[in-house]
Amino acid sequence: MRLAVIGAGAVGSAVVDLASDHGHSVTAFVDSSSAVIDSAGIDTDEVLDRKRADGVVGSDAPEDALSAEYDVLVEATPTTLGDAEPGFSHVQAALERDRHAVLANKGPVAERYADVRALERESEGSVLFEATVGGAMPILSTIDDFDPSHITAVRGVLNGTANFILSRMATEGLDYEHVLAEAQDLGVAEADPTFDVDGTDAALKGVIIANVLSDNETEYTLDDAEVEGIQEISGSALELARADGRTVRLIAEVVEGSVRVGPRLVPDNAPLAVSGTRNIAQLETEHAGQLNISGRGAGGPETASAVLADIGRL
Amino acid sequence: MSDSTDEVRSYTVRLELVDEPGELLRALEPIATNGGNLLSIFHERGNVTPRGHIPVEVDLEATPERFDGIVDALRDAGINVIQAGAEQYSEALTIILTGHLVNTDLSDTLSRIHESTDATVTDLSLSAPGGTDDASSARIRLATEEGAVDEAMRSIRTVADEKGLHVIEPLAAGGDA
Ligand SMILES: NC(=O)c1ccc[n+]([C@@H]2O[C@H](COP(=O)([O-])OP(=O)(O)OC[C@H]3O[C@@H](n4cnc5c(N)ncnc54)[C@H](OP(=O)(O)O)[C@@H]3O)[C@@H](O)[C@H]2O)c1
């Protein structure tokens, strides 16, 4: 397949890096200010070196990328709320040209799911977005395999930064501010960790799951989610939980049409009590009991693997 | 529920006490001496029965067999047992409350939870590392009637909201995630 990769950050660059391994070529690659377009396939190593050294991918005009030759558009620009732009327009441009769109960007499927599906219905192209929920973990494709109608609930730890902070606070007896600063030093938390610690990121993933489970009947957006973050969790609360064989995790819960994210008490030895940056999703299936999927929920190559798995499914 | 008679269960006993010093202690003694484990005691404050007695609600744990012995012993001691074991608390629920617990009157918070939810507090641990003026945390175990966990959680949230406290809720009813 020929890929147009929009966004040259951790995810976009890793997709470009791993594309040839999976038998694909990259015909367009774009960041916020530059582009490289070649219908014969770009020299990925050279372009990635240039991005690292000079901060640009090439000297073509970014606006030409959407009309370049490609089979699949990979959307890896920053997740935005509300109108989900510019990601949404990129997906729209691909579908209107009957091309496929594979998303790492959560915005379009969390905030404008019905619009995306409507465009897909009119298109020869399909939309896949495994990478938007749980990085490398095959959560959405497992839901799809079981069929959404056989999944009654999904609960999970879907933000590695928040989980790192909570599990470290619990094991080391340190307070929130201290562990957050440490996570930033380690590169586990971004300079602005707001969306990770206030629950927004986990909620977007919960909303995407709710959209998939509702199978086009009801559309969910962030506004439909009940969201609470971990900023108020104190060391003493974790200590009390621990003395009782429990711990606190930021859990996203999608059940009976509701999406709820907040710190919850779970038994210390429960599958959901993963530690560090690990993620886990627990699917409640109608006929097969509980199914746990755990793994790395973020990271450039991890997320790119999910993108490439989607491309393989097209 | 199993048929086993040596399984410890939670019971509530409503007593009417004469308003005299030492009455409460006298009422509690038969519980301990007959192998019951006292969980909590609630005076319905300001409430006096038409006969001028004070209603008291006692939560305790015992095996069913011992519980019968306790009720007999209470009656033998001349204590008015209004209701015994009619409600069986069968679901346990653990929450953590954080915030200015002490400044917002923890015992009032607990009685309000008790009054508004029909749940009984069976265990309380408080951690106030910064002293009583600072934010602190409390782990509270409650027992509710079967199927009443959701309702109990709603009432707890309301009480916590009013007092500006923060509730960390268990993931699943009963806390078994
Ligand atoms: N990182 C993860 O682990 C992970 C996991 C799952 C999903 N995601 C999602 O995947 C997406 C990409 O994540 P990331 O970590 O790669 O982000 P990132 O490192 O911040 O990279 C974002 C990239 O998008 C480019 N960009 C910004 N506006 C653009 C525009 N209008 N047109 C074209 N390119 C534009 C940026 O260009 P410049 O280079 O010029 O700034 C940058 O290359 C996000 O939506 C994120 O939520 C990430």
Side-chain angles (χ1 to χ4, degrees):
Chain A
M1 296 261 216
R2 295 169 302 169
L3 316 182
V5 180
I6 319 296
V11 176
S13 292
V15 170
V16 167
D17 188 31
L18 300 172
S20 64
D21 256 11
H22 290 73
H24 308 300
S25 65
V26 179
T27 51
F29 188 31
V30 197
D31 65 14
S32 64
S33 64
S34 70
V36 50
I37 301 167
D38 187 340
S39 56
I42 64 170
D43 181 337
T44 54
D45 288 344
E46 184 193 313
V47 169
L48 290 171
D49 282 346
R50 183 157 58 229
K51 177 64 181 166
R52 266 189 295 271
D54 310 332
V56 293
V57 292
S59 50
D60 294 317
E63 51 277 16
D64 292 339
L66 294 175
S67 51
E69 284 182 40
Y70 62 84
D71 305 303
V72 185
L73 179 133
V74 175
E75 219 315 317
T77 65
T79 292
T80 55
L81 307 182
D83 65 5
E85 295 292 2
F88 182 82
S89 291
H90 297 156
V91 172
Q92 179 171 22
L95 291 171
E96 283 176 351
R97 285 182 60 201
D98 291 326
R99 304 293 193 270
H100 303 295
V102 170
L103 289 83
N105 178 354
K106 295 173 271 285
V109 274
E111 295 285 68
R112 301 181 66 180
Y113 190 76
D115 290 341
V116 170
R117 287 301 195 201
L119 286 168
E120 188 191 33
R121 275 195 296 278
E122 299 298 312
S123 173
E124 301 282 308
S126 310
V127 181
L128 290 175
F129 44 93
E130 178 71 81
T132 59
V133 181
M137 296 149 56
I139 299 174
L140 300 183
S141 48
T142 305
I143 292 176
D144 193 48
D145 281 352
F146 271 79
D147 194 280
S149 64
H150 297 303
I151 307 286
T152 54
V154 178
R155 298 183 177 85
V157 169
L158 299 176
N159 184 282
T161 303
N163 202 64
F164 176 89
I165 293 172
L166 287 176
S167 52
R168 193 126 173 94
M169 281 175 72
T171 51
E172 306 296 323
L174 298 167
D175 65 23
Y176 173 78
E177 299 297 336
H178 183 114
V179 176
L180 174 60
E182 184 189 76
Q184 284 169 323
D185 287 345
L186 288 169
V188 168
E190 289 173 39
D192 179 3
T194 312
F195 279 7
D196 295 317
V197 298
D198 76 0
T200 304
D201 176 72
L204 288 170
K205 293 164 181 169
V207 164
I208 294 171
I209 291 171
N211 276 325
V212 170
L213 289 184
S214 107
D215 234 2
N216 298 321
E217 272 177 31
T218 314
E219 178 184 18
Y220 294 86
T221 69
L222 188 57
D223 281 345
D224 300 308
E226 188 187 322
V227 190
E228 195 184 308
I230 61 166
Q231 304 99 312
E232 303 288 317
I233 303 295
S234 61
S236 66
L238 284 162
E239 191 55 46
L240 283 174
R242 191 153 103 121
D244 195 39
R246 290 161 212 261
T247 191
V248 178
R249 288 291 180 266
L250 184 68
I251 303 285
E253 188 177 21
V254 183
V255 52
E256 283 166 11
S258 81
V259 180
R260 177 175 173 196
V261 171
R264 306 287 285 272
L265 278 170
V266 295
D268 243 342
N269 55 4
L272 285 173
V274 289
S275 60
T277 57
R278 258 184 117 68
N279 284 22
I280 180 165
Q282 191 168 69
L283 311 188
E284 205 84 59
T285 69
E286 210 169 34
H287 307 296
Q290 243 172 28
L291 192 72
N292 296 318
I293 307 170
S294 75
R296 296 195 194 166
E302 290 82 355
T303 309
S305 305
V307 168
L308 289 158
D310 271 351
I311 295 170
R313 268 179 217 114
L314 286 169
Chain B
M1 268 201 199
S2 79
D3 290 336
S4 154
T5 50
D6 48 11
E7 189 183 311
V8 174
R9 295 184 191 170
S10 301
Y11 295 93
T12 298
V13 187
R14 276 183 226 276
L15 310 172
E16 280 185 10
L17 301 183
V18 185
D19 192 5
E20 277 172 16
E23 258 309 278
L24 182 61
L25 206 61
R26 199 169 73 84
L28 298 181
E29 224 200 314
I31 297 175
T33 50
N34 287 279
N37 180 23
L38 194 62
L39 297 174
S40 65
I41 305 162
F42 278 93
H43 277 265
E44 288 168 25
R45 280 178 302 180
N47 232 352
V48 178
T49 69
R51 279 173 294 170
H53 291 180
I54 300 172
V56 174
E57 202 176 282
V58 178
D59 292 325
L60 58 93
E61 278 176 348
T63 62
E65 195 180 343
R66 285 190 169 154
F67 181 69
D68 291 343
I70 289 167
V71 174
D72 290 347
L74 284 167
R75 292 198 162 123
D76 287 349
I79 291 158
N80 201 357
V81 181
I82 304 300
Q83 192 185 4
E87 301 160 55
Q88 284 202 351
Y89 291 110
S90 56
E91 290 200 42
L93 173 71
T94 299
I95 60 164
I96 290 183
L97 274 181
T98 61
H100 289 274
L101 292 171
V102 182
N103 287 350
T104 56
D105 192 348
L106 182 58
S107 86
D108 174 67
T109 305
L110 296 178
S111 4
R112 294 215 12 226
I113 289 174
H114 182 74
E115 280 159 20
S116 62
T117 63
D118 242 344
T120 181
V121 174
T122 58
D123 183 66
L124 169 74
S125 301
L126 182 69
S127 165
T132 52
D133 287 343
D134 239 2
S136 51
S137 306
R139 188 187 65 233
I140 300 168
R141 192 179 349 258
L142 299 140
T144 69
E145 284 172 62
E146 187 135 17
V149 167
D150 286 348
E151 195 196 316
M153 271 321 312
R154 263 197 299 282
S155 309
I156 291 167
R157 263 181 242 141
T158 308
V159 174
D161 270 358
E162 274 172 38
K163 297 197 167 205
L165 303 172
H166 186 87
V167 196
I168 305 178
E169 298 180 23
L171 183 59
D176 292 327

